[in-house]
Amino acid sequence: MPLDRQLGRRGVLGAGFAASVATLAGCGDDPGSAAPGAAPGSPAPARSESAAVEGTVAAEEGTAGFGPSGSASASAPAAGQQVLAASYSGKLVETLNRYLVPTADNPKRPGYAGAVVLVDVDGKVTTHASVGYALRYGAGPVELAEQSRVLMRPDSIFDVASVTKVYTTILAMRQVDRGKLDLGAPVVQYLPAFDGPGKSAVTVRTLLTHTSGLPVGPSIPETSKKPDVAARWAYILSTPLADGVTPGSLLRYTSLGLLLTQQILEKLTGKPLDQQVKSEITGPLGLRDTGFKPLGWLSAQDKANRLAATDARSSRGLLRGVVHDDICNVLGGVAGSAGIFTTAADLAVIGRMLLGGGQVDGKRILSEATVQRMLTNYNAGLPAADVARPNRTATHGLGVELDQPWFMGRLASPRTFGHTGFTGCELVVEPRRRLVLVLLTNRAHPNWSWADPDPTRVAIANILADAIA
């Protein structure tokens, strides 16, 4: 991760939608795909219309399928199926297709190689669609010939980057429920090595609300040159507060807060974070497509067909199934701030669980009172510092963003919550509409600097805000 990145931070479809349906991954024309040897963004030859409808479900809202755990569920389609069951489904797909090629706002490059959108309203999937490619470029980056590319699928698996922070926060709040973690306690009470000027005022709560006074992240070069993971963690714990910032006085989005939360959780439980995610979240919820380091648990077929690639010009070569975040990578691929890989269907379950007050499909993960604490704004009246997003406000819950129009668009409200990931992913939950939106793009493939992911996020959110009362 370059220094400038570290500092800047981050009804049923009718015939009129045929062109949009034809672009669904594996199903038809892709205006963002190029013929072999063509320049990036050039259109590919059209595929047959008969291929366009293969694997597509256009049905009444609430089409039932099979969830990632293999059990029947009204909240997820069968693996590989498209669901286009709402009046707005076609418009969502059309919008996603628009960013597969350069736009007036971003005239040199596509917004992403591919994307997946899932919309769940009141526990029923109304839209689950994919466009473009999971893999379009090889290391270099070099655009791959058509036959070497991999089409995006509804069940493609993405590196969701900072959306990982939501999972880490859920683990922390489970410890709060158990009485083992005090949000108001100083961090140094749990991590004695976290000492230094002013750091005794940093509480667990400030870690989760991004008001700790810590800088945006640890130095990547300095962390990387430490001899082993233990030394890298020691260096992270030694990070001083930012100059002139008092804990609790300013929102500055920082990966350090959730990295330190990870260290607290591992000390409290005696278990690595990845094991906690499996035993406390993905195992109980049956989320078989969610976890760190997917190359260790995916089948060979899934590695080839379902992994969405990220960077293709990094010092590590093409990244596919390997975490994009450099700090997470040098920590072994597991971090409280990044590193989770998941699908749209699995991530939607997390949204539904929080929307349901800590419970989903009869399985309780958090108490309702604890979820309400998560969704409370702790930063009222505070300023926010974000060079990359000057419109960001300090409004923030515990581990989740609140009321942020820069990615929620017109879905933003004091009760709307969610999180984004640097790789182009997001979760948005709007309680009044009983709406869960998951948008996953591989905008970092082949180069994260090619496009800003926020215009797509806002465009998709606005369609839903206008369509759902």
Side-chain angles (χ1 to χ4, degrees):
M1 184 187 299
L3 184 59
D4 60 343
R5 169 177 160 190
Q6 182 187 157
L7 295 177
R9 230 288 321 162
R10 9 226 226 226
V12 177
L13 294 181
F17 295 133
S20 296
V21 177
T23 60
L24 296 174
C27 301
D29 297 348
D30 177 4
S33 59
S42 302
R47 300 180 186 126
S48 67
E49 187 173 341
S50 62
V53 296
E54 184 178 357
T56 301
V57 176
E60 298 296 331
E61 284 191 281
T63 297
F66 286 85
S69 64
S71 58
S73 171
S75 64
Q81 282 189 335
Q82 311 279 349
V83 175
L84 302 166
S87 60
Y88 48 77
S89 297
K91 191 170 184 180
L92 292 174
V93 174
E94 288 174 3
T95 301
L96 291 181
N97 280 323
R98 186 187 312 152
Y99 293 95
L100 288 170
V101 295
T103 62
D105 292 336
N106 194 54
K108 293 184 179 180
R109 302 291 186 181
Y112 41 72
V116 175
V117 64
L118 188 151
V119 179
D120 182 299
V121 182
D122 204 20
K124 297 177 181 179
V125 172
T126 65
T127 306
H128 190 186
S130 58
V131 301
Y133 291 96
L135 174 67
R136 180 173 171 176
Y137 303 88
V142 175
E143 188 155 34
L144 298 172
E146 182 75 25
Q147 64 269 23
S148 298
R149 303 178 192 178
V150 177
L151 287 162
M152 193 69 80
R153 299 165 29 151
D155 63 347
S156 289
I157 296 170
F158 287 74
D159 174 352
V160 295
S162 285
V163 178
T164 301
K165 294 177 172 68
V166 177
Y167 295 80
T168 306
T169 301
I170 291 169
L171 292 175
M173 299 311 287
R174 281 176 69 85
Q175 296 303 321
V176 171
D177 268 341
R178 293 166 179 159
K180 295 183 178 180
L181 180 62
D182 179 0
L183 295 174
V187 172
V188 70
Q189 176 178 311
Y190 298 100
L191 304 173
F194 183 71
D195 59 0
K199 292 168 79 172
S200 62
V202 178
T203 65
V204 177
R205 182 180 292 107
T206 65
L207 299 182
L208 300 177
T209 58
H210 296 278
T211 57
S212 62
L214 289 162
V216 171
S219 165
I220 293 165
E222 290 299 319
T223 307
S224 301
K225 72 183 183 183
K226 302 303 177 187
D228 53 35
V229 171
R232 291 164 190 164
W233 274 117
Y235 173 74
I236 288 170
L237 284 168
S238 72
T239 303
L241 299 183
D243 290 342
V245 180
T246 302
S249 66
L250 170 77
L251 179 137
R252 177 189 282 113
Y253 184 90
T254 168
S255 62
L256 281 160
L258 277 296
L259 288 168
L260 294 171
T261 303
Q262 173 188 357
Q263 287 288 284
I264 292 171
L265 289 169
E266 291 186 346
K267 186 168 183 181
L268 287 176
T269 66
K271 296 179 180 179
L273 187 74
D274 54 345
Q275 290 185 19
Q276 294 181 57
V277 168
K278 185 174 182 179
S279 63
E280 301 270 345
I281 301 174
T282 63
L285 295 180
L287 307 182
R288 296 182 180 178
D289 288 331
T290 300
F292 294 94
K293 301 190 289 188
L295 296 182
W297 46 267
L298 284 177
S299 68
Q301 183 176 13
D302 283 345
K303 290 175 189 176
N305 297 330
R306 296 178 62 200
L307 280 170
T310 54
D311 227 312
R313 44 94 237 183
S314 74
S315 60
R316 295 182 275 146
L318 171 69
L319 303 180
R320 190 173 182 225
V322 177
V323 67
H324 184 261
D325 183 88
D326 288 315
I327 289 294
C328 180
N329 180 61
V330 300
L331 293 175
V334 177
S337 56
I340 288 278
F341 287 72
T342 191
T343 62
D346 274 14
L347 183 52
V349 173
I350 299 298
R352 289 174 56 226
M353 182 272 292
L354 294 172
L355 180 61
Q359 180 174 267
V360 63
D361 298 332
K363 299 171 184 175
R364 180 160 293 283
I365 301 298
L366 295 170
S367 71
E368 188 168 0
T370 293
V371 172
Q372 288 305 310
R373 293 178 74 179
M374 279 186 69
L375 306 183
T376 297
N377 176 23
Y378 292 90
N379 297 346
L382 296 185
D386 191 329
V387 174
R389 293 188 175 96
N391 292 329
R392 182 197 290 270
T393 69
T395 306
H396 209 283
L398 299 174
V400 291
E401 304 265 11
L402 300 174
D403 197 12
Q404 298 292 338
W406 59 268
F407 76 95
M408 299 172 179
R410 288 193 290 273
L411 289 176
S413 75
R415 296 183 61 209
T416 306
F417 62 93
H419 213 289
T420 62
F422 188 86
T423 50
C425 302
E426 71 169 359
L427 170 69
V428 177
V429 182
E430 207 284 73
R432 185 183 68 78
R433 292 176 172 90
R434 302 292 297 170
L435 169 69
V436 175
L437 165 64
V438 177
L439 177 62
L440 307 178
T441 79
N442 58 353
R443 74 97 178 190
H445 180 62
N447 185 333
W448 61 264
S449 68
W450 275 18
D452 180 355
D454 294 345
T456 312
R457 291 166 170 159
V458 170
I460 293 297
N462 286 348
I463 291 169
L464 295 172
D466 294 343
I468 303 172

